[in-house]
Amino acid sequence: MAESELVDVVVVGLGVGGEEVAGRLAEAGLAVVGIERDLVGGECPYWGCIPSKMMIRAANALAEARRVNELAGSAEVRPDWAPVAKRIREEATDTWDDRVAVDRFTGKGGRFVRGSGRLDGPNRVRVGDQVFEARYAVVLGTGTRPSVPPIDGLADTPYWTNHQAIEVEELPESLLVLGGGAIGLELAQVFARFGVRVIVVEAADRVLAVEEPEASEVAAEALRADGVEIHTGVKAERVTHDGTSFTVHAGDRAFGGEKLLVVTGRRAHLEELGLDSVGIDCTQRYLPVNERMHAAEGIWAVGDLTGEGAFTHIAMYQAGIVVADVLDHVRRMKGGPDASGTASVVGGAAGAVSAVGGAMSTGGSAVAPGSVPVADYRALPRVTFTDPEVGAVGLTEQQARSRGINVQVGYTDLTSSTRGWIHKAGSAGFIKLVADADRGVLIGATSVGPAGGEVLSALVVAVHAAVPVSQLRHMIYAYPTFHRAIEDALRNLK
Ligand SMILES: Cc1cc2nc3c(=O)[nH]c(=O)nc-3n(C[C@H](O)[C@H](O)[C@H](O)COP(=O)(O)OP(=O)(O)OC[C@H]3O[C@@H](n4cnc5c(N)ncnc54)[C@H](O)[C@@H]3O)c2cc1C
C-alpha cells in the first residue's frame, strides 16, 4: 500500500458543489485537498448553465427584434453566431481554461491536485501515485456525464453532447436533437432562432415530460413557431452517419441532419470512484445520501451525484449542508459539543464555528436555530429557459394525485391577464397551482411565460413556507405585473 499523506479533508470533483465545499472548508481553517480531473467549476460555467444562458440571451434578442414588426414598426434581423461564440469563449470560459478558478480555490487556502481521484479504502483517496488520508472527511462531488442511450450504431458516430453544442464556432445547416427535455429544448430553440433547421426526436409522448402537460404543450408550440420540427413518441432504433450527415431510424421513419445532439439525460459514474473499497454498491444510478449528505462513515456527497436534482442551485444548497455538517463533525472529533451545544471549540476549529453559523444563516434548508441544517426538497424550483420560460416548483398535479392527496387545481392563461394582453407578441403562458385542499396550502406550481422563472419565486416561497392559501388570496399583487396572474389562478382553485 502506497504511503499516504494526512490532511483534514479531501474533496473529489471540484464542480459547482465540490468547489463550494472545498473552498469554504479551507476558509474555515481546515487542510483541504481538492482534486479535479478536468476544469475547476465543473459543467455549469464551461458547458452548462452559463454559456447556454448566454446563447439563450442572444437568441431571445433576435426573437424580440422579430417582434418589432408586430409592435413597433419594422426590423430586419440578420443572425450572426460569431459574437455568441466569442462571448462564450472569452467572457464565460476563458477558452475553457480554469486558471482563475484554481487561483480562487488556492487563494482560500486549499491545495489543488489535478487528476482523477478514487477511494482506496476508508478515509483514503488515491490520485495517480499520491494517496491522501482524510482525518475528518472525504467529500465526493463528481457530478454526472451525458448518458448516451444504447441505440444501434450511435456510439460509432461523431454525435454531439452538450460540450460540442456549447463549443460550436460555426453553426451547422441542420441539427437533429435526440431528447426533448429541458436541455434539448433550450438548445433546439437557440439554434433554430439562428437559422439552423432543427428536428427534435423524443421517445416520450410529450416534450418536457416531467413537467405539467400544459407546459409541454406551450413549449412545443413556441418551438414550432420558431420552425423546430418536434416528433414525440418516437423510439430511435438505429443511427447512421455517412461522413457528412446523420440519419436516425425509427421503424419506417427516418430523420436526417448535419449534426446530431444527444441530450437524453445524464448519469453518475459510481464505478469510477472506488466505492466498493468502502462497501458501497457502485452499480447504483446515483450515490444515495441522507438528509445531511452522508453517504457512509466519513463520506459525504454533493451535487448531481446524489440524484436529488441536476441543478446548480441544488449543488449549492447541498454544499451549505455538507460544510455545516463536516464542521460539526470536526468539532465533535475534537471533543467539542455538537451543533446543538453552546460551548466554544478547541484548537484551530474556531473558524469552523463561525462557518457553521454562516451556513445556517444562508443555507435555507430545514434548520432549527443552533443546529446543522438538513435537506428539504419539497420546494425544489426548476426552470427551463425556453421562450416562454417554464418554471415549476414542488409537485405536479399528477404527482400529487398519485400520492393520494386531496388535490385542488387553479389555472389561468397568461394571455388573458392584463400584462399578457399588453405584452401581446410572445405572451404565451399560464399559471397552474396545485393545492392540498385538506391542509389549505400550495404543494406545487408551474409558471410559464416571458418571465416564468422570475414569477416562480413567489410560488417557491408559498410552497416552501406552506403559506395558507387564504393568506395568498388576501395579498396585494402589483398591477399590471405578470405575477398578478397568480391571484387569478388562486381564485380558480377547485
Ligand atoms: C447544457 C446544460 C445546461 C444547464 N443549465 C442549468 C441551469 O440553467 N440551471 C441549473 O441550475 N443547472 C443547469 N445545468 C445543470 C448544472 O450544470 C449541474 O447541476 C451542476 O453543474 C452540477 O454540479 P456538480 O458539482 O454536481 O457537478 P459538475 O458540475 O458536473 O462537476 C463535477 C466535477 O467533478 C469532476 N470529476 C468527476 N469525476 C472525478 C474524479 N474521479 N476525480 C476528479 N474529478 C472528477 C468533473 O470533471 C467535474 O468538473 C445545466 C447542465 C447542462 C449540461
Side-chain angles (χ1 to χ4, degrees), residues 11-19 35-45 47-50 52-53 113 115-118 127 141-146 162-163 166 183 186-187 263 266 269 272-273 302-306 309-316 318 381 383 385:
V11 180
V12 184
L14 298 183
V16 177
E19 187 194 349
I35 303 168
E36 170 58 50
R37 69 172 171 209
D38 201 346
L39 297 179
V40 173
E43 204 70 4
C44 179
W47 297 285
C49 335
I50 292 176
S52 68
K53 266 77 245 176
V113 176
S116 270
R118 59 183 285 130
V127 48
T142 49
T144 55
R145 289 206 297 273
N162 61 301
H163 281 220
I166 296 285
I183 296 174
E186 288 181 3
L187 294 175
V263 274
R266 300 181 65 89
H269 288 264
E272 296 174 357
L273 299 178
V302 65
D304 285 8
L305 175 68
T306 65
F311 300 104
T312 286
H313 44 272
I314 285 283
M316 298 293 286
Q318 293 179 332
V383 179
F385 292 87

Coordinates of all heavy atoms in Angstrom, one line a residue, residues 11-19 35-45 47-50 52-53 113 115-118 127 141-146 162-163 166 183 186-187 263 266 269 272-273 302-306 309-316 318 381 383 385, ligand 1:
V11 N -11.6 16.6 -1.1 CA -12.8 16.7 -1.9 C -12.5 16.3 -3.3 O -11.5 16.7 -3.9 CB -13.3 18.2 -2.0 CG1 -14.5 18.4 -2.8 CG2 -13.5 18.7 -0.6
V12 N -13.2 15.3 -3.8 CA -13.0 14.7 -5.1 C -14.0 15.3 -6.1 O -15.2 15.1 -5.9 CB -13.1 13.2 -5.1 CG1 -12.8 12.6 -6.5 CG2 -12.2 12.6 -4.1
G13 N -13.6 16.0 -7.1 CA -14.5 16.7 -8.1 C -14.8 18.1 -7.6 O -15.5 18.3 -6.6
L14 N -14.2 19.1 -8.3 CA -14.4 20.5 -8.0 C -15.4 21.2 -9.0 O -15.0 22.2 -9.6 CB -13.1 21.2 -7.9 CG -12.1 20.7 -6.8 CD1 -10.9 21.5 -6.8 CD2 -12.8 20.6 -5.4
G15 N -16.6 20.6 -9.1 CA -17.6 21.3 -9.9 C -18.3 22.3 -9.0 O -17.7 22.7 -8.0
V16 N -19.5 22.6 -9.3 CA -20.2 23.6 -8.5 C -20.2 23.3 -7.0 O -19.8 24.1 -6.2 CB -21.7 23.7 -9.0 CG1 -22.5 24.7 -8.1 CG2 -21.8 24.1 -10.5
G17 N -20.6 22.0 -6.7 CA -20.8 21.6 -5.3 C -19.5 21.4 -4.7 O -19.2 21.9 -3.6
G18 N -18.6 20.7 -5.3 CA -17.3 20.3 -4.7 C -16.4 21.6 -4.4 O -15.8 21.7 -3.4
E19 N -16.4 22.5 -5.4 CA -15.6 23.7 -5.2 C -16.1 24.5 -4.1 O -15.4 25.1 -3.3 CB -15.6 24.6 -6.5 CG -14.6 25.7 -6.4 CD -14.8 26.8 -7.5 OE1 -15.5 26.6 -8.4 OE2 -14.1 27.9 -7.3
I35 N -9.4 17.8 -5.5 CA -9.0 17.0 -6.7 C -9.9 17.2 -7.9 O -11.1 17.0 -7.7 CB -8.9 15.5 -6.4 CG1 -7.9 15.3 -5.2 CG2 -8.3 14.7 -7.6 CD1 -8.0 13.9 -4.6
E36 N -9.4 17.7 -9.0 CA -10.3 17.8 -10.2 C -9.6 17.3 -11.4 O -8.4 17.7 -11.6 CB -10.6 19.3 -10.4 CG -11.3 19.7 -11.7 CD -12.6 18.9 -11.9 OE1 -13.5 18.9 -11.1 OE2 -12.7 18.4 -13.1
R37 N -10.3 16.5 -12.2 CA -9.6 15.9 -13.3 C -9.7 16.8 -14.6 O -9.0 16.6 -15.6 CB -10.1 14.5 -13.6 CG -11.5 14.4 -14.1 CD -11.8 13.0 -14.5 NE -13.2 12.9 -14.8 CZ -13.8 11.7 -14.6 NH1 -13.2 10.7 -14.2 NH2 -15.1 11.7 -14.9
D38 N -10.7 17.7 -14.6 CA -11.0 18.5 -15.8 C -10.8 19.9 -15.4 O -9.7 20.4 -15.2 CB -12.3 18.1 -16.4 CG -12.4 18.4 -17.9 OD1 -11.6 19.2 -18.3 OD2 -13.4 18.0 -18.6
L39 N -11.9 20.7 -15.4 CA -11.9 22.1 -15.1 C -12.6 22.4 -13.8 O -13.7 22.0 -13.6 CB -12.6 22.9 -16.2 CG -11.9 22.8 -17.6 CD1 -12.7 23.6 -18.7 CD2 -10.5 23.3 -17.6
V40 N -11.9 23.2 -12.9 CA -12.5 23.6 -11.6 C -13.7 24.5 -11.9 O -13.5 25.5 -12.7 CB -11.4 24.3 -10.8 CG1 -12.1 24.9 -9.5 CG2 -10.3 23.3 -10.4
G41 N -14.8 24.2 -11.4 CA -16.0 24.9 -11.6 C -17.0 23.9 -12.2 O -18.2 24.1 -12.1
G42 N -16.5 22.9 -13.0 CA -17.4 21.8 -13.5 C -18.2 22.2 -14.7 O -17.9 23.1 -15.5
E43 N -19.3 21.5 -14.8 CA -20.1 21.6 -16.0 C -20.8 23.0 -16.2 O -20.9 23.5 -17.3 CB -21.2 20.5 -15.9 CG -21.8 20.1 -17.2 CD -20.8 19.3 -18.1 OE1 -19.7 19.0 -17.7 OE2 -21.2 18.9 -19.2
C44 N -21.3 23.6 -15.1 CA -22.1 24.8 -15.2 C -21.4 25.9 -15.9 O -22.0 26.5 -16.8 CB -22.6 25.1 -13.8 SG -23.6 26.6 -13.7
P45 N -20.2 26.3 -15.5 CA -19.6 27.5 -16.1 C -19.0 27.3 -17.5 O -18.9 28.2 -18.3 CB -18.5 28.0 -15.1 CG -18.2 26.8 -14.3 CD -19.4 25.9 -14.3
W47 N -19.8 24.3 -19.8 CA -20.6 23.6 -20.8 C -22.1 23.6 -20.4 O -22.8 22.8 -21.0 CB -20.1 22.2 -21.0 CG -18.7 22.1 -21.5 CD1 -18.3 22.4 -22.8 CD2 -17.5 21.8 -20.7 NE1 -16.9 22.2 -22.9 CE2 -16.4 21.8 -21.6 CE3 -17.3 21.4 -19.4 CZ2 -15.1 21.6 -21.2 CZ3 -16.0 21.2 -19.0 CH2 -14.9 21.2 -19.9
G48 N -22.5 24.3 -19.4 CA -23.8 24.2 -18.9 C -24.6 25.5 -18.8 O -24.7 26.3 -19.7
C49 N -25.0 25.8 -17.6 CA -25.9 26.9 -17.3 C -25.4 28.2 -17.9 O -26.2 28.9 -18.7 CB -26.0 27.2 -15.8 SG -25.7 25.8 -14.7
I50 N -24.2 28.6 -17.7 CA -23.8 29.9 -18.0 C -23.6 30.1 -19.6 O -24.3 31.0 -20.1 CB -22.5 30.4 -17.3 CG1 -22.9 30.5 -15.8 CG2 -21.9 31.7 -17.8 CD1 -21.7 30.8 -14.8
S52 N -24.9 28.3 -21.9 CA -26.2 28.1 -22.6 C -27.1 29.3 -22.4 O -27.9 29.6 -23.2 CB -26.9 26.8 -22.1 OG -27.3 26.9 -20.7
K53 N -27.0 29.9 -21.2 CA -27.9 31.1 -21.0 C -27.4 32.3 -21.8 O -28.2 33.2 -22.1 CB -28.0 31.4 -19.5 CG -29.2 30.8 -18.8 CD -29.1 29.3 -18.5 CE -30.0 28.4 -19.3 NZ -29.7 26.9 -19.0
V113 N -5.0 19.6 -6.6 CA -4.4 18.5 -7.3 C -5.2 18.2 -8.5 O -6.4 17.9 -8.5 CB -4.3 17.2 -6.4 CG1 -3.7 16.1 -7.1 CG2 -3.5 17.5 -5.1
G115 N -6.2 15.7 -11.4 CA -6.2 14.3 -11.6 C -7.5 13.6 -11.3 O -8.4 14.3 -10.8
S116 N -7.6 12.3 -11.5 CA -8.8 11.6 -11.2 C -8.7 10.9 -9.8 O -7.7 10.2 -9.6 CB -9.0 10.4 -12.2 OG -9.8 10.9 -13.2
G117 N -9.6 11.3 -8.9 CA -9.5 10.7 -7.5 C -10.4 9.5 -7.4 O -11.4 9.4 -8.1
R118 N -10.0 8.5 -6.6 CA -10.9 7.4 -6.3 C -10.6 6.9 -4.9 O -9.4 7.0 -4.4 CB -10.8 6.3 -7.3 CG -9.5 5.6 -7.5 CD -9.5 4.5 -8.6 NE -10.2 3.3 -8.1 CZ -11.2 2.7 -8.8 NH1 -11.7 3.2 -9.9 NH2 -11.7 1.6 -8.3
V127 N -4.9 9.5 -6.1 CA -4.9 10.2 -7.3 C -3.6 10.0 -7.9 O -2.6 10.4 -7.4 CB -5.3 11.7 -7.1 CG1 -4.6 12.4 -6.0 CG2 -5.2 12.5 -8.4
G141 N -17.9 15.0 -5.1 CA -18.8 15.9 -5.9 C -18.5 15.8 -7.4 O -18.2 16.7 -8.1
T142 N -18.6 14.5 -7.8 CA -18.0 14.2 -9.2 C -19.1 14.3 -10.3 O -18.8 14.0 -11.4 CB -17.5 12.8 -9.2 OG1 -18.4 11.9 -8.6 CG2 -16.2 12.7 -8.4
G143 N -20.3 14.7 -9.9 CA -21.3 15.1 -11.0 C -21.7 13.9 -11.8 O -21.7 12.7 -11.4
T144 N -22.1 14.3 -13.0 CA -22.6 13.3 -14.0 C -22.0 13.5 -15.4 O -21.4 14.6 -15.6 CB -24.2 13.4 -14.2 OG1 -24.5 14.8 -14.5 CG2 -24.9 13.0 -12.9
R145 N -22.2 12.6 -16.2 CA -21.8 12.8 -17.6 C -23.0 12.5 -18.5 O -23.9 11.7 -18.1 CB -20.6 11.9 -18.0 CG -19.3 12.4 -17.4 CD -18.1 11.9 -18.2 NE -18.0 10.5 -18.3 CZ -17.3 9.7 -17.4 NH1 -16.8 10.3 -16.3 NH2 -17.2 8.4 -17.6
P146 N -23.1 12.9 -19.8 CA -24.2 12.6 -20.6 C -24.4 11.1 -20.7 O -23.5 10.4 -20.8 CB -23.8 13.2 -22.0 CG -22.8 14.2 -21.7 CD -22.1 13.8 -20.5
N162 N -23.6 18.0 -25.0 CA -23.7 19.5 -24.8 C -22.4 20.1 -24.9 O -22.3 21.3 -25.2 CB -24.3 19.7 -23.4 CG -23.4 19.1 -22.2 OD1 -23.2 17.9 -22.2 ND2 -23.0 19.9 -21.3
H163 N -21.3 19.4 -24.8 CA -19.9 20.0 -24.9 C -19.7 20.6 -26.3 O -19.4 21.8 -26.5 CB -18.8 19.0 -24.6 CG -18.7 18.8 -23.1 ND1 -17.4 18.7 -22.5 CD2 -19.6 18.7 -22.1 CE1 -17.6 18.5 -21.2 NE2 -18.9 18.5 -21.0
I166 N -22.0 23.6 -27.1 CA -21.7 24.8 -26.5 C -20.4 25.4 -27.1 O -20.2 26.6 -27.2 CB -21.4 24.6 -24.9 CG1 -22.7 24.2 -24.2 CG2 -20.8 25.9 -24.3 CD1 -23.7 25.2 -24.0
I183 N -32.7 20.6 -21.5 CA -31.5 21.0 -22.2 C -31.8 20.9 -23.7 O -31.4 21.8 -24.5 CB -30.3 20.1 -21.8 CG1 -30.0 20.4 -20.3 CG2 -29.1 20.4 -22.7 CD1 -28.9 19.5 -19.8
E186 N -34.0 23.9 -24.8 CA -33.3 25.2 -24.8 C -32.4 25.3 -26.0 O -32.4 26.3 -26.7 CB -32.5 25.3 -23.5 CG -33.3 25.5 -22.2 CD -32.5 25.6 -21.0 OE1 -31.2 25.6 -21.1 OE2 -33.0 25.7 -19.9
L187 N -31.6 24.3 -26.2 CA -30.6 24.4 -27.3 C -31.3 24.4 -28.7 O -30.9 25.1 -29.6 CB -29.5 23.3 -27.2 CG -28.6 23.4 -25.9 CD1 -27.7 22.2 -25.8 CD2 -27.8 24.7 -26.0
V263 N -29.1 14.5 -26.1 CA -29.3 15.1 -24.7 C -30.5 14.2 -24.1 O -31.6 14.7 -23.9 CB -29.7 16.6 -24.8 CG1 -28.4 17.4 -24.8 CG2 -30.5 16.9 -26.1
R266 N -28.5 12.3 -18.0 CA -27.1 12.2 -17.6 C -27.0 11.1 -16.5 O -28.0 10.7 -15.9 CB -26.7 13.6 -17.0 CG -26.8 14.7 -18.0 CD -26.4 16.0 -17.5 NE -25.0 16.1 -17.1 CZ -24.0 16.4 -18.0 NH1 -24.3 16.7 -19.2 NH2 -22.8 16.5 -17.5
H269 N -21.1 8.2 -12.6 CA -20.3 7.0 -12.9 C -19.7 6.5 -11.6 O -18.5 6.7 -11.3 CB -19.2 7.4 -14.0 CG -19.8 7.5 -15.3 ND1 -19.9 6.5 -16.3 CD2 -20.5 8.6 -15.9 CE1 -20.5 6.9 -17.3 NE2 -20.9 8.2 -17.1
E272 N -16.4 4.4 -11.2 CA -15.0 5.0 -11.3 C -14.5 5.5 -9.9 O -13.4 6.0 -9.9 CB -15.1 6.2 -12.2 CG -15.4 5.9 -13.6 CD -15.6 7.2 -14.5 OE1 -15.5 8.3 -13.9 OE2 -15.9 7.0 -15.7
L273 N -15.3 5.4 -8.9 CA -14.9 6.2 -7.7 C -14.4 5.3 -6.5 O -14.1 5.7 -5.4 CB -16.2 6.9 -7.1 CG -16.7 8.0 -8.1 CD1 -18.0 8.6 -7.5 CD2 -15.6 9.0 -8.3
V302 N -22.2 15.5 -2.7 CA -22.8 16.8 -3.0 C -23.1 16.9 -4.5 O -22.4 16.3 -5.3 CB -21.9 17.9 -2.5 CG1 -20.6 18.0 -3.3 CG2 -22.6 19.3 -2.6
G303 N -24.2 17.5 -4.9 CA -24.5 17.8 -6.3 C -25.2 16.7 -7.1 O -25.8 15.8 -6.5
D304 N -25.0 16.8 -8.4 CA -25.7 15.9 -9.3 C -25.5 14.4 -8.9 O -26.4 13.6 -9.2 CB -25.2 16.1 -10.7 CG -25.8 17.4 -11.4 OD1 -26.4 18.2 -10.7 OD2 -25.5 17.5 -12.6
L305 N -24.4 14.1 -8.4 CA -24.0 12.7 -8.0 C -25.1 12.1 -7.1 O -25.3 10.9 -7.1 CB -22.7 12.8 -7.3 CG -22.1 11.5 -6.7 CD1 -21.7 10.5 -7.8 CD2 -20.8 11.8 -5.8
T306 N -25.7 12.9 -6.3 CA -26.7 12.4 -5.3 C -28.0 12.1 -5.9 O -28.9 11.5 -5.2 CB -26.9 13.4 -4.1 OG1 -27.5 14.6 -4.7 CG2 -25.6 13.8 -3.5
G309 N -31.6 16.0 -8.0 CA -32.0 17.1 -8.9 C -30.7 17.6 -9.5 O -29.9 18.1 -8.8
A310 N -30.7 17.6 -10.8 CA -29.5 18.1 -11.5 C -29.5 19.6 -11.8 O -29.7 20.0 -12.9 CB -29.3 17.3 -12.8
F311 N -29.3 20.3 -10.7 CA -29.3 21.8 -10.8 C -28.2 22.4 -10.0 O -27.9 21.9 -8.9 CB -30.7 22.4 -10.3 CG -31.9 21.9 -11.0 CD1 -32.7 20.9 -10.4 CD2 -32.2 22.3 -12.3 CE1 -33.8 20.4 -11.1 CE2 -33.3 21.9 -12.9 CZ -34.1 20.9 -12.3
T312 N -27.7 23.5 -10.5 CA -26.7 24.2 -9.8 C -27.2 24.6 -8.4 O -26.5 24.5 -7.4 CB -26.2 25.3 -10.6 OG1 -25.3 24.8 -11.7 CG2 -25.3 26.3 -9.8
H313 N -28.4 25.1 -8.4 CA -28.9 25.5 -7.1 C -29.1 24.4 -6.1 O -29.0 24.6 -4.9 CB -30.2 26.3 -7.2 CG -31.3 25.7 -8.1 ND1 -31.3 26.0 -9.4 CD2 -32.3 24.9 -7.9 CE1 -32.3 25.3 -10.0 NE2 -32.9 24.6 -9.1
I314 N -29.2 23.1 -6.5 CA -29.3 22.0 -5.6 C -27.8 21.7 -5.1 O -27.6 21.5 -3.9 CB -29.8 20.7 -6.3 CG1 -31.3 20.8 -6.5 CG2 -29.5 19.5 -5.5 CD1 -32.1 20.6 -5.2
A315 N -26.9 21.8 -6.0 CA -25.5 21.6 -5.6 C -25.0 22.6 -4.6 O -24.4 22.2 -3.6 CB -24.6 21.6 -6.8
M316 N -25.4 23.9 -4.8 CA -25.0 24.9 -3.8 C -25.8 24.7 -2.5 O -25.2 24.9 -1.4 CB -25.4 26.3 -4.4 CG -24.7 26.6 -5.7 SD -22.9 26.8 -5.4 CE -22.8 28.4 -4.6
Q318 N -26.9 21.9 -1.2 CA -26.3 20.8 -0.5 C -25.0 21.1 0.0 O -24.6 20.6 1.1 CB -26.3 19.6 -1.5 CG -27.6 19.0 -1.9 CD -27.5 17.8 -2.8 OE1 -26.5 17.8 -3.6 NE2 -28.4 17.0 -2.9
P381 N -37.2 24.3 -6.9 CA -37.6 25.0 -8.1 C -36.8 24.5 -9.3 O -35.6 24.1 -9.2 CB -37.2 26.5 -7.8 CG -36.2 26.4 -6.8 CD -36.2 25.1 -6.1
V383 N -36.3 25.6 -13.7 CA -36.7 26.5 -14.7 C -36.1 26.0 -16.0 O -34.9 25.7 -16.1 CB -36.2 27.9 -14.5 CG1 -36.6 28.8 -15.7 CG2 -36.8 28.5 -13.2
F385 N -35.2 27.3 -19.6 CA -35.1 28.7 -20.1 C -35.4 28.8 -21.6 O -34.7 29.4 -22.4 CB -33.7 29.2 -19.8 CG -33.5 29.4 -18.3 CD1 -33.1 28.4 -17.5 CD2 -33.8 30.7 -17.7 CE1 -32.9 28.6 -16.1 CE2 -33.6 30.9 -16.4 CZ -33.2 29.8 -15.6
Ligands
LIG1 C1 -26.4 22.3 -21.1 C2 -26.7 22.4 -19.6 C3 -27.4 23.5 -19.1 C4 -27.7 23.6 -17.8 N1 -28.4 24.6 -17.3 C5 -28.6 24.7 -16.0 C6 -29.4 25.8 -15.5 O1 -29.8 26.7 -16.2 N2 -29.6 25.9 -14.1 C7 -29.2 24.9 -13.3 O2 -29.4 25.0 -12.1 N3 -28.5 23.9 -13.7 C8 -28.2 23.7 -15.1 N4 -27.5 22.7 -15.5 C9 -27.0 21.6 -14.5 C10 -25.8 22.0 -13.8 O3 -24.7 22.3 -14.7 C11 -25.4 20.9 -12.8 O4 -26.5 20.7 -12.0 C12 -24.2 21.3 -12.0 O5 -23.0 21.5 -12.8 C13 -23.9 20.2 -11.0 O6 -22.8 20.5 -10.3 P1 -21.9 19.3 -9.6 O7 -20.9 19.9 -8.8 O8 -22.8 18.3 -9.0 O9 -21.2 18.5 -10.9 P2 -20.4 19.0 -12.1 O10 -20.6 20.4 -12.4 O11 -20.6 18.0 -13.2 O12 -18.9 18.8 -11.6 C14 -18.3 17.6 -11.3 C15 -16.8 17.7 -11.4 O13 -16.2 16.5 -11.0 C16 -15.1 16.2 -11.8 N5 -14.8 14.8 -11.7 C17 -15.6 13.7 -12.0 N6 -15.0 12.6 -11.6 C18 -13.8 12.9 -11.0 C19 -12.8 12.2 -10.4 N7 -12.9 10.9 -10.2 N8 -11.7 12.8 -9.9 C20 -11.7 14.2 -10.0 N9 -12.6 14.9 -10.6 C21 -13.7 14.3 -11.1 C22 -15.6 16.6 -13.2 O14 -14.5 16.8 -14.1 C23 -16.4 17.9 -12.9 O15 -15.6 19.0 -13.1 C24 -27.2 22.6 -16.9 C25 -26.5 21.5 -17.4 C26 -26.2 21.4 -18.7 C27 -25.4 20.2 -19.3

